[in-house]
mmCIF file of all heavy atoms in Angstrom:
data_model
loop_
_atom_site.group_PDB
_atom_site.id
_atom_site.type_symbol
_atom_site.label_atom_id
_atom_site.label_comp_id
_atom_site.label_asym_id
_atom_site.label_seq_id
_atom_site.Cartn_x
_atom_site.Cartn_y
_atom_site.Cartn_z
ATOM 1 N N ASN B 28 7.349 -21.939 -1.745
ATOM 2 C CA ASN B 28 7.741 -20.632 -2.266
ATOM 3 C C ASN B 28 8.640 -19.906 -1.279
ATOM 4 O O ASN B 28 9.668 -19.352 -1.639
ATOM 5 C CB ASN B 28 6.511 -19.770 -2.545
ATOM 6 C CG ASN B 28 5.862 -20.176 -3.850
ATOM 7 O OD1 ASN B 28 6.497 -20.845 -4.668
ATOM 8 N ND2 ASN B 28 4.618 -19.793 -4.042
ATOM 9 N N GLY B 31 12.013 -21.540 -1.073
ATOM 10 C CA GLY B 31 12.758 -21.239 -2.289
ATOM 11 C C GLY B 31 13.315 -19.828 -2.230
ATOM 12 O O GLY B 31 14.504 -19.598 -2.468
ATOM 13 N N ALA B 35 17.240 -18.718 -2.001
ATOM 14 C CA ALA B 35 17.795 -17.848 -3.035
ATOM 15 C C ALA B 35 18.317 -16.562 -2.411
ATOM 16 O O ALA B 35 19.216 -15.919 -2.936
ATOM 17 C CB ALA B 35 16.733 -17.528 -4.073
ATOM 18 N N VAL B 37 19.876 -16.177 0.429
ATOM 19 C CA VAL B 37 21.097 -16.260 1.231
ATOM 20 C C VAL B 37 22.311 -15.648 0.533
ATOM 21 O O VAL B 37 22.932 -14.738 1.077
ATOM 22 C CB VAL B 37 21.376 -17.705 1.685
ATOM 23 C CG1 VAL B 37 22.733 -17.805 2.356
ATOM 24 C CG2 VAL B 37 20.297 -18.165 2.644
ATOM 25 N N VAL B 48 27.237 -8.172 7.293
ATOM 26 C CA VAL B 48 27.475 -9.573 7.645
ATOM 27 C C VAL B 48 28.833 -9.710 8.331
ATOM 28 O O VAL B 48 28.962 -10.361 9.370
ATOM 29 C CB VAL B 48 27.400 -10.473 6.398
ATOM 30 C CG1 VAL B 48 27.845 -11.880 6.730
ATOM 31 C CG2 VAL B 48 25.989 -10.496 5.852
ATOM 32 N N VAL B 69 35.276 -17.505 36.050
ATOM 33 C CA VAL B 69 34.256 -17.968 36.993
ATOM 34 C C VAL B 69 34.606 -19.365 37.494
ATOM 35 O O VAL B 69 34.590 -19.647 38.698
ATOM 36 C CB VAL B 69 32.861 -17.962 36.337
ATOM 37 C CG1 VAL B 69 31.854 -18.759 37.175
ATOM 38 C CG2 VAL B 69 32.376 -16.535 36.143
ATOM 39 N N PHE B 81 32.624 -26.940 33.346
ATOM 40 C CA PHE B 81 33.061 -25.823 32.504
ATOM 41 C C PHE B 81 32.741 -26.091 31.035
ATOM 42 O O PHE B 81 32.225 -25.229 30.329
ATOM 43 C CB PHE B 81 34.567 -25.605 32.700
ATOM 44 C CG PHE B 81 35.122 -24.543 31.785
ATOM 45 C CD1 PHE B 81 34.696 -23.226 31.900
ATOM 46 C CD2 PHE B 81 36.073 -24.858 30.820
ATOM 47 C CE1 PHE B 81 35.210 -22.240 31.068
ATOM 48 C CE2 PHE B 81 36.580 -23.871 29.977
ATOM 49 C CZ PHE B 81 36.143 -22.566 30.099
ATOM 50 N N ILE B 103 5.781 -7.522 15.916
ATOM 51 C CA ILE B 103 5.042 -6.346 16.391
ATOM 52 C C ILE B 103 5.208 -5.169 15.428
ATOM 53 O O ILE B 103 4.282 -4.399 15.212
ATOM 54 C CB ILE B 103 5.441 -5.963 17.835
ATOM 55 C CG1 ILE B 103 4.491 -4.888 18.362
ATOM 56 C CG2 ILE B 103 6.887 -5.507 17.916
ATOM 57 C CD1 ILE B 103 4.533 -4.666 19.844
ATOM 58 N N TRP B 108 2.936 -1.842 11.241
ATOM 59 C CA TRP B 108 2.975 -1.345 9.865
ATOM 60 C C TRP B 108 1.679 -1.655 9.127
ATOM 61 O O TRP B 108 1.092 -0.796 8.485
ATOM 62 C CB TRP B 108 4.176 -1.971 9.139
ATOM 63 C CG TRP B 108 4.284 -1.555 7.715
ATOM 64 C CD1 TRP B 108 4.810 -0.392 7.247
ATOM 65 C CD2 TRP B 108 3.827 -2.283 6.574
ATOM 66 N NE1 TRP B 108 4.723 -0.346 5.884
ATOM 67 C CE2 TRP B 108 4.125 -1.496 5.438
ATOM 68 C CE3 TRP B 108 3.208 -3.520 6.398
ATOM 69 C CZ2 TRP B 108 3.811 -1.909 4.154
ATOM 70 C CZ3 TRP B 108 2.906 -3.928 5.107
ATOM 71 C CH2 TRP B 108 3.210 -3.126 4.004
ATOM 72 N N LEU B 120 -8.138 -10.909 3.894
ATOM 73 C CA LEU B 120 -9.057 -11.393 2.861
ATOM 74 C C LEU B 120 -8.463 -12.518 2.023
ATOM 75 O O LEU B 120 -9.165 -13.188 1.290
ATOM 76 C CB LEU B 120 -9.458 -10.231 1.946
ATOM 77 C CG LEU B 120 -10.477 -9.275 2.557
ATOM 78 C CD1 LEU B 120 -10.724 -8.095 1.642
ATOM 79 C CD2 LEU B 120 -11.783 -10.019 2.844
ATOM 80 N N ARG B 121 -7.144 -12.711 2.126
ATOM 81 C CA ARG B 121 -6.510 -13.746 1.313
ATOM 82 C C ARG B 121 -7.006 -15.137 1.715
ATOM 83 O O ARG B 121 -7.378 -15.345 2.862
ATOM 84 C CB ARG B 121 -4.993 -13.683 1.495
ATOM 85 C CG ARG B 121 -4.444 -12.399 0.919
ATOM 86 C CD ARG B 121 -3.011 -12.561 0.524
ATOM 87 N NE ARG B 121 -2.562 -11.331 -0.119
ATOM 88 C CZ ARG B 121 -1.393 -10.768 0.117
ATOM 89 N NH1 ARG B 121 -0.567 -11.326 0.964
ATOM 90 N NH2 ARG B 121 -1.059 -9.663 -0.494
ATOM 91 N N VAL B 131 4.855 -19.284 8.563
ATOM 92 C CA VAL B 131 5.779 -19.798 7.548
ATOM 93 C C VAL B 131 6.878 -18.773 7.270
ATOM 94 O O VAL B 131 8.061 -19.105 7.170
ATOM 95 C CB VAL B 131 5.016 -20.165 6.252
ATOM 96 C CG1 VAL B 131 5.990 -20.542 5.156
ATOM 97 C CG2 VAL B 131 4.060 -21.324 6.521
ATOM 98 N N MET B 150 33.660 -21.553 13.906
ATOM 99 C CA MET B 150 34.594 -20.812 14.758
ATOM 100 C C MET B 150 34.531 -21.311 16.203
ATOM 101 O O MET B 150 35.548 -21.488 16.870
ATOM 102 C CB MET B 150 34.252 -19.312 14.756
ATOM 103 C CG MET B 150 34.312 -18.628 13.429
ATOM 104 S SD MET B 150 35.991 -18.409 12.836
ATOM 105 C CE MET B 150 36.639 -17.343 14.104
ATOM 106 N N ASP B 162 26.298 -37.928 17.936
ATOM 107 C CA ASP B 162 25.251 -38.891 17.565
ATOM 108 C C ASP B 162 24.060 -38.176 16.946
ATOM 109 O O ASP B 162 23.725 -37.041 17.286
ATOM 110 C CB ASP B 162 24.807 -39.689 18.786
ATOM 111 C CG ASP B 162 24.273 -38.776 19.861
ATOM 112 O OD1 ASP B 162 24.917 -37.724 20.110
ATOM 113 O OD2 ASP B 162 23.205 -39.064 20.414
ATOM 114 N N VAL B 179 6.563 -21.907 19.925
ATOM 115 C CA VAL B 179 6.083 -21.357 21.202
ATOM 116 C C VAL B 179 6.315 -19.848 21.221
ATOM 117 O O VAL B 179 5.447 -19.052 21.549
ATOM 118 C CB VAL B 179 6.800 -22.026 22.401
ATOM 119 C CG1 VAL B 179 6.517 -21.268 23.691
ATOM 120 C CG2 VAL B 179 6.374 -23.479 22.526
ATOM 121 N N THR B 197 5.262 0.805 19.548
ATOM 122 C CA THR B 197 5.748 -0.549 19.329
ATOM 123 C C THR B 197 7.237 -0.666 19.626
ATOM 124 O O THR B 197 7.701 -1.684 20.103
ATOM 125 C CB THR B 197 5.491 -0.984 17.876
ATOM 126 O OG1 THR B 197 5.950 0.052 17.015
ATOM 127 C CG2 THR B 197 4.037 -1.204 17.625
ATOM 128 N N LEU B 200 7.827 -0.900 23.441
ATOM 129 C CA LEU B 200 7.333 -2.189 23.917
ATOM 130 C C LEU B 200 8.302 -3.302 23.531
ATOM 131 O O LEU B 200 8.582 -4.206 24.322
ATOM 132 C CB LEU B 200 5.961 -2.474 23.301
ATOM 133 C CG LEU B 200 4.791 -1.643 23.840
ATOM 134 C CD1 LEU B 200 3.571 -1.811 22.954
ATOM 135 C CD2 LEU B 200 4.476 -2.077 25.269
ATOM 136 N N GLN B 226 14.641 -18.914 38.804
ATOM 137 C CA GLN B 226 14.390 -20.160 38.088
ATOM 138 C C GLN B 226 12.894 -20.438 38.013
ATOM 139 O O GLN B 226 12.368 -20.813 36.962
ATOM 140 C CB GLN B 226 15.089 -21.293 38.830
ATOM 141 C CG GLN B 226 15.822 -22.238 37.911
ATOM 142 C CD GLN B 226 16.540 -23.319 38.700
ATOM 143 O OE1 GLN B 226 16.061 -24.420 38.803
ATOM 144 N NE2 GLN B 226 17.677 -22.957 39.276
ATOM 145 N N THR B 228 10.514 -18.222 38.213
ATOM 146 C CA THR B 228 9.924 -17.258 37.284
ATOM 147 C C THR B 228 10.144 -17.709 35.844
ATOM 148 O O THR B 228 9.218 -17.692 35.026
ATOM 149 C CB THR B 228 10.570 -15.871 37.463
ATOM 150 O OG1 THR B 228 10.703 -15.605 38.864
ATOM 151 C CG2 THR B 228 9.748 -14.778 36.814
ATOM 152 N N ALA B 229 11.376 -18.126 35.556
ATOM 153 C CA ALA B 229 11.706 -18.530 34.182
ATOM 154 C C ALA B 229 10.853 -19.717 33.754
ATOM 155 O O ALA B 229 10.429 -19.798 32.601
ATOM 156 C CB ALA B 229 13.186 -18.871 34.075
ATOM 157 N N PRO B 233 7.071 -18.649 29.153
ATOM 158 C CA PRO B 233 7.294 -19.566 28.019
ATOM 159 C C PRO B 233 8.679 -19.452 27.376
ATOM 160 O O PRO B 233 9.048 -20.292 26.565
ATOM 161 C CB PRO B 233 6.209 -19.141 27.017
ATOM 162 C CG PRO B 233 5.953 -17.713 27.317
ATOM 163 C CD PRO B 233 6.179 -17.536 28.796
ATOM 164 N N PHE B 234 9.445 -18.413 27.735
ATOM 165 C CA PHE B 234 10.638 -18.094 26.938
ATOM 166 C C PHE B 234 11.717 -19.174 26.964
ATOM 167 O O PHE B 234 12.427 -19.384 25.979
ATOM 168 C CB PHE B 234 11.237 -16.755 27.379
ATOM 169 C CG PHE B 234 10.205 -15.685 27.549
ATOM 170 C CD1 PHE B 234 10.106 -14.954 28.721
ATOM 171 C CD2 PHE B 234 9.296 -15.442 26.533
ATOM 172 C CE1 PHE B 234 9.126 -13.985 28.867
ATOM 173 C CE2 PHE B 234 8.315 -14.470 26.678
ATOM 174 C CZ PHE B 234 8.231 -13.747 27.853
ATOM 175 N N SER B 246 23.964 -28.865 23.838
ATOM 176 C CA SER B 246 25.220 -28.641 24.549
ATOM 177 C C SER B 246 25.524 -29.775 25.529
ATOM 178 O O SER B 246 26.551 -29.750 26.202
ATOM 179 C CB SER B 246 25.158 -27.315 25.303
ATOM 180 O OG SER B 246 24.047 -27.310 26.174
ATOM 181 N N THR B 249 21.297 -31.331 29.029
ATOM 182 C CA THR B 249 20.189 -32.246 29.279
ATOM 183 C C THR B 249 20.399 -33.481 28.395
ATOM 184 O O THR B 249 20.634 -33.333 27.192
ATOM 185 C CB THR B 249 18.837 -31.598 28.900
ATOM 186 O OG1 THR B 249 18.785 -30.293 29.440
ATOM 187 C CG2 THR B 249 17.672 -32.412 29.422
ATOM 188 N N GLY B 267 -1.412 -24.262 24.196
ATOM 189 C CA GLY B 267 -2.029 -23.236 25.043
ATOM 190 C C GLY B 267 -1.896 -21.852 24.427
ATOM 191 O O GLY B 267 -2.891 -21.136 24.220
ATOM 192 N N VAL B 270 -3.880 -21.377 21.079
ATOM 193 C CA VAL B 270 -5.315 -21.112 21.235
ATOM 194 C C VAL B 270 -5.529 -19.671 21.702
ATOM 195 O O VAL B 270 -6.329 -18.922 21.133
ATOM 196 C CB VAL B 270 -5.941 -22.122 22.229
ATOM 197 C CG1 VAL B 270 -7.358 -21.713 22.584
ATOM 198 C CG2 VAL B 270 -5.916 -23.524 21.631
ATOM 199 N N SER B 272 -3.577 -17.168 21.371
ATOM 200 C CA SER B 272 -3.190 -16.174 20.361
ATOM 201 C C SER B 272 -4.329 -15.911 19.377
ATOM 202 O O SER B 272 -4.567 -14.780 18.977
ATOM 203 C CB SER B 272 -1.939 -16.630 19.615
ATOM 204 O OG SER B 272 -2.247 -17.651 18.704
ATOM 205 N N SER B 279 -8.773 -8.453 19.230
ATOM 206 C CA SER B 279 -8.108 -7.206 18.823
ATOM 207 C C SER B 279 -8.662 -6.697 17.498
ATOM 208 O O SER B 279 -8.794 -5.493 17.293
ATOM 209 C CB SER B 279 -6.605 -7.424 18.689
ATOM 210 O OG SER B 279 -6.091 -7.990 19.848
ATOM 211 N N GLY B 287 -13.371 1.230 12.284
ATOM 212 C CA GLY B 287 -13.316 1.367 10.831
ATOM 213 C C GLY B 287 -11.900 1.512 10.324
ATOM 214 O O GLY B 287 -11.634 2.255 9.395
#
Side-chain angles (χ1 to χ4, degrees):
Chain B
N28 281 342
V37 173
V48 172
V69 166
F81 175 64
I103 189 165
W108 179 81
L120 284 175
R121 293 205 176 137
V131 173
M150 299 288 297
D162 59 316
V179 168
T197 49
L200 288 168
Q226 224 178 100
T228 317
F234 314 127
S246 56
T249 313
V270 170
S272 75
S279 307

